[in-house]
Amino acid sequence: NKPTLLIYFSTECKHCQHQISEISENIKEFESSQVVMISIEEPDFLLSYFANNKLLNRDHVFIVYDNELQFEKTFGNCPFPTTFIYDKNWELVKQCRGEVKVEALLKYLYL
């Protein structure tokens, strides 16, 4: 029952790094939503990466290790980063390919 941000990313992507850094710096703005970060990278590496970005141990941030490529099977071939914004009823509000500013994410997340 919360708006949800799905972000498909790679830690090696500079645009992803910048977007994750901006989300981290503004994480309190996302507390009324769910932030789901999806990657094909190994879990231990992802945990370390998110710890360095101060995004671990937050009730509203989830890290998904997509080792079976389910994201691409569901959403198709997407560049890094690709963001899907859903309202609290799981209706798609916006899809963004490439880096997105935090202001834009929040605008669509809380329509």
Side-chain angles (χ1 to χ4, degrees), residues 48-65:
S48 173
Y49 183 80
F50 280 94
N52 289 338
N53 281 282
K54 299 177 178 70
L55 290 171
L56 276 186
N57 301 318
R58 300 205 179 254
D59 292 340
H60 63 293
V61 178
F62 304 91
I63 305 164
V64 177
Y65 169 49

Side-chain angles (χ1 to χ4, degrees), residues 26 29-30 101-111:
N26 296 280
E29 301 290 327
F30 293 89
K101 294 189 177 287
V102 166
E103 296 83 14
L105 293 175
L106 293 169
K107 172 186 166 186
Y108 288 106
L109 198 57
Y110 298 118
L111 280 178

Side-chain angles (χ1 to χ4, degrees), residues 16-30:
C16 299
Q17 292 168 3
H18 187 260
Q19 186 165 332
I20 290 168
S21 176
E22 280 200 6
I23 289 171
S24 175
E25 290 171 15
N26 296 280
I27 196 62
K28 290 187 188 268
E29 301 290 327
F30 293 89

Side-chain angles (χ1 to χ4, degrees), residues 1 3 7-8 13 17 24 36 38 43 45 54-55 57-58 62 67 71 73 86-87 93 95 100-101 105:
N1 294 331
I7 303 174
Y8 186 57
C13 162
Q17 292 168 3
S24 175
V36 182
I38 304 160
F45 184 77
K54 299 177 178 70
L55 290 171
N57 301 318
R58 300 205 179 254
F62 304 91
N67 64 324
F71 185 89
K73 290 175 186 172
Y86 291 90
D87 67 14
V93 174
Q95 176 184 350
V100 183
K101 294 189 177 287
L105 293 175

Side-chain angles (χ1 to χ4, degrees), residues 4-5 83-87 91-94 96 105 108-109:
T4 301
L5 201 62
T83 304
F84 293 87
I85 303 171
Y86 291 90
D87 67 14
E91 295 290 326
L92 181 63
V93 174
K94 183 81 172 165
C96 308
L105 293 175
Y108 288 106
L109 198 57

